[in-house]
Amino acid sequence: RRTIKCYDDTFRVSFAILPCSIITACIVAQTYFRMRHHFHVNGYILEGCWTFSILLESVTMLPQAVLIHRKRFRGQEVEPFVLRYTVLIWLYRAFYILNWIYRSYFEEYYQHHLLVYICG
């Protein structure tokens, strides 16, 4: 049984993927130009994949938030599982941030990365 109807789920995925791709390209290019003398192709490919995944993960709750907003704006009831899923994603992100804070204080060789704090 389909629970979300096509006319409700109108979030364009390209609005999330395209900006994340552009920002990833900029970050990896900036890293390359800053550390040219240590250039290693596999390292930059992995860095690009990691950067893209962090950026994309930070916008994963947007489709659900748009869906909830549109349904409430129309006066429709939002399914409980959608609300639970959205709350669980927010809790996951909150515990992820707590993990970074914990690691930064208690791990001796933890490397701070600005992207993690911005997209956290």
Side-chain angles (χ1 to χ4, degrees), residues 28-93:
V28 171
Q30 185 263 343
T31 303
Y32 167 74
F33 288 119
R34 189 183 61 205
M35 309 211 29
R36 272 182 287 215
H37 54 284
H38 296 297
F39 180 71
H40 191 268
V41 175
N42 290 339
Y44 286 98
I45 291 172
L46 289 176
E47 179 78 15
C49 291
W50 178 80
T51 302
F52 182 72
S53 72
I54 292 292
L55 288 168
L56 196 58
E57 187 179 16
S58 69
V59 296
T60 56
M61 69 253 331
L62 284 179
Q64 295 301 325
V66 168
L67 176 72
I68 291 170
H69 174 73
R70 287 188 179 156
K71 288 190 111 180
R72 286 196 172 166
F73 184 73
R74 292 185 206 140
Q76 298 173 341
E77 185 178 339
V78 180
E79 292 87 359
F81 72 89
V82 172
L83 291 174
R84 287 186 204 120
Y85 174 75
T86 307
V87 168
L88 288 174
I89 287 178
W90 282 99
L91 284 173
Y92 163 74
R93 299 303 294 171

